[in-house]
Structure formats: C-alpha cells, structure tokens
DNA sequence: CGATATTCGTTGCACATGCAACGTTTTTCT
DNA sequence: AGAAAAACGTTGCATGTGCAACGAATATCG
C-alpha cells in the first residue's frame, strides 16, 4: 500500500524507507495512541500527560514521593515536580513533608483528586480494552514483544 | 516480576497499574529505542531527531517540499521548516524555489548531505537488524500489529 | 563524633515545540 | 476575467522540556 515513489535524482545512497524503520514506526504508533488519549484528558479533565501520569500512579499507590514517581512512570524529577505543583494548585493532590525523612515530599490525592480519578480511570480502562479488541488474539504476544523491547534496550547494551 | 505494592491508604478507586497500560508501555518502548538512536545521531553527527527525519526522507526521495515531508514523517510543517533551515545552515541540504509552483520550497541534499547519509544510513540499518534479531521469529507479526495500531487509530474512530 | 558524600526536590536557563497569524502564490467559483 | 478561498512555508509568541546548579537533609566514612 505505501509504495515509495523514487522520483528524485539518484544519490547512490542505499535504499532506505523511514516508513519501514521500526523506531520511527513505534514512535508513530505510540504518538497516535497518546494523542487520542491526551485529547480526552485535556478536553474533559484539563490534564496534560505528565499530570495524568502522576495521578495515575497515585491512584494505584496513594502516597508517594517525587522520586518514587520518577522511577515508576519514566519522567524526570523536574517534570514530576512541576506536574505535582500544578495539580496541587488545582487541589487534586496535596504535598506534605515526610517527618521520617524530611528531604522527601509526600504526595497524596485529595478527595477531589480521588473523585476525578473515579471518572477518569474507567475511560482509560475502556481505551485499553479497545486496543486489545482491535489487536485481537495476538495481543498477548504483542504485549510480550513490547516488554522485550523495554527489557532489552532499557539497560545499556554492549 | 513487577508486582504492585499497594502501600497507601485505600482510596476505593479501581485497580489500575500504569505499568500495564498499553499507551504508556508503547510510549516507553518507543522512547527507549529513540533515545538509543538519538544519542548516536547527536554524538556522531550532531543531528536532532527532526533533522534526522528530514535527511532520511530526502535520502529516499531526493527532492521534496516541506509539505511532502510533513505528511511523510509525521512532523508539523513548522518543525520541518526549522529543521530544514538548520540543515541548510550546516550545508547539508539546499532550498530552492520551485519554478512550477512558487509556493513550494524544493529541498535537496547537498554533496555533503549525501556523504553524511552514506555514513549514517548503515548505522540505522544495523540498528533495525539488531531489533529484529532481538525480537526473533515473531518480529513480522509484531510489525504487523504496530501497523494495525497506526491504521486503526490514526483516522478518527467513532 | 565530625567531615565528606549522597539524596531529594526545586528552580534558572537555554532551547524545542505547537499553534495561530501572516504574506505570497495558486486554485476555485461565479 | 475577477473575486473569494485555499495551500504553502515562515515566524512570533506562549508554553513545555531537559539539564545543571542549588539548598536542605540524611547517609557514609574515617
């Protein structure tokens, strides 16, 4: 379907089609999924993706430090910090000092934050099911391959 | 392996693990691949990802407009425009007005740009093979699933 | 116990990004 | 043909981002 029109002059370069290049394809697929979701988050809840990720993690493990979230959801600590500040300003979470280790900031969902997530999470779960349905029986295998990429290239290779 | 510690208070929210959420996992996998490559591009050639994409497309179809590239490599036209300007400043491509339609800008690799791509493309191809080897026999199926996501969610669904 | 190193979270800064607006050129419509 | 609409590429502006530096707090070591 996506044939390559080789219209230009001949450069003598090896054949290369970025549309068949896996890193590009993965980025594109991820971007398509994220943008679909992102639009919903923004339109209905006024949330950015970093904000959503922070809330999502707190929904699972309520009570976490910035560092916890940084390692869990693959975001730089400065990104987490700023997202948390915006969420605090909106009253969705609260920051408290941790008395046992006063370097840590303890993040907790407020009642309002919990209420928002009660509306938001079903949406996310529905989207996950929609993808699973779309991919059909091979979904499990696909997911395993995604994991293989994460495991295989996350740590530095030789 | 990645069990979820449910340490915090109970919020009554549905169970949700962002680590199992496919949009997040796809983004993470794509990010890992891109960052590995991106580091190589930057360290050895001083290229950003947008710049690399523009060059990659021109390596395939030498001679293209900004709009062509925008639709081919999934980048906004402003992003393409700025990347092209930087590449022109470095002498890797040249911009010429198109005499047939003077709204268009005709982008072409310079000799220097071609030489750079002659060094760069084998690196990209090697990386692609490395991923294919890593994923093994199921790679074809995996790639088809990636395509299914691109096709299925790219156009707006109901 | 005291000095040094490390961890945590925030912030300043330079830079990349998306979006809208713009001037120019071409296409479409009456 | 002439007017209105659309397409193309660039740029201004507000905002998001990564990185390094920082102050505060804790851990480690002699």
């Amino acid at each position: 379907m996506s044939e390559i029109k080789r219209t230009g002059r001949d450069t003598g370069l090896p054949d290369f089609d970025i549309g068949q290049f896996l890193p590009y394809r993965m980025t594109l697929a991820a971007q398509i999924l994220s943008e679909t979701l992102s639009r919903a988050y923004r339109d209905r809840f006024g949330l950015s993706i970093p904000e959503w990720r922070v809330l999502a993690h707190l929904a699972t493990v309520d009570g976490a430090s910035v560092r916890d979230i940084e390692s869990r959801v693959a975001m730089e600590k400065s990104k987490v910090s700023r997202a948390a500040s915006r969420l605090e300003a909106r009253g969705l979470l609260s920051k408290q000092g941790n008395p046992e280790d006063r370097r840590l900031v303890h993040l907790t969902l407020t009642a309002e934050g919990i209420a928002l997530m009660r509306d938001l999470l079903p949406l996310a779960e529905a989207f996950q099911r929609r993808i699973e349905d779309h991919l059909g029986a091979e979904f499990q295998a696909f997911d395993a391959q995604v994991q293989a990429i994460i495991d295989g290239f996350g740590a530095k290779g030789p």
Side-chain angles (χ1 to χ4, degrees), chain A:
Chain A
M1 28 194 76
S2 67
E3 292 173 22
I4 292 306
K5 42 173 182 182
R6 203 161 246 296
T7 52
R9 67 189 164 143
D10 184 18
T11 57
L13 289 172
D15 275 15
F16 183 81
D17 177 8
I18 196 176
Q20 297 299 121
F21 190 49
L22 192 67
Y24 170 73
R25 289 163 68 76
M26 284 290 290
T27 300
L28 183 57
Q31 199 169 290
I32 287 171
L33 293 182
S34 286
E35 269 170 18
T36 305
L37 259 189
S38 170
R39 201 170 324 133
Y41 296 160
R42 176 155 294 291
D43 292 351
R44 306 191 202 184
F45 303 95
L47 294 177
S48 69
I49 288 185
E51 288 160 6
W52 140 254
R53 286 197 190 174
V54 169
L55 291 181
H57 183 63
L58 290 179
T60 309
V61 190
D62 196 33
S65 70
V66 170
R67 189 81 174 105
D68 286 339
I69 297 181
E70 172 181 10
S71 60
R72 267 290 177 190
V73 303
M75 288 172 30
E76 285 229 329
K77 57 184 179 178
S78 64
K79 212 168 173 178
V80 176
S81 173
R82 289 190 249 243
S85 294
R86 280 174 297 208
L87 293 170
E88 186 191 28
R90 282 186 51 184
L92 298 175
L93 61 77
S94 88
K95 295 187 196 177
Q96 303 163 28
N98 184 328
E100 298 180 1
D101 184 340
R102 282 159 34 203
R103 293 172 300 181
L104 301 181
V105 170
H106 195 73
L107 302 175
T108 314
L109 292 178
T110 62
E112 201 182 339
I114 293 174
L116 185 147
M117 289 309 277
R118 208 184 309 282
D119 293 341
L120 181 42
L121 285 183
L123 223 119
E125 289 170 338
F127 192 63
Q128 169 95 17
R129 278 193 298 275
R130 189 173 147 208
I131 301 171
E132 291 181 11
D133 289 351
H134 186 70
L135 297 187
E138 306 166 52
F139 171 77
Q140 300 282 353
F142 177 76
D143 200 58
Q145 297 280 54
V146 173
Q147 187 62 45
I149 292 177
I150 294 172
D151 291 340
F153 294 83
K156 73 214 59 172

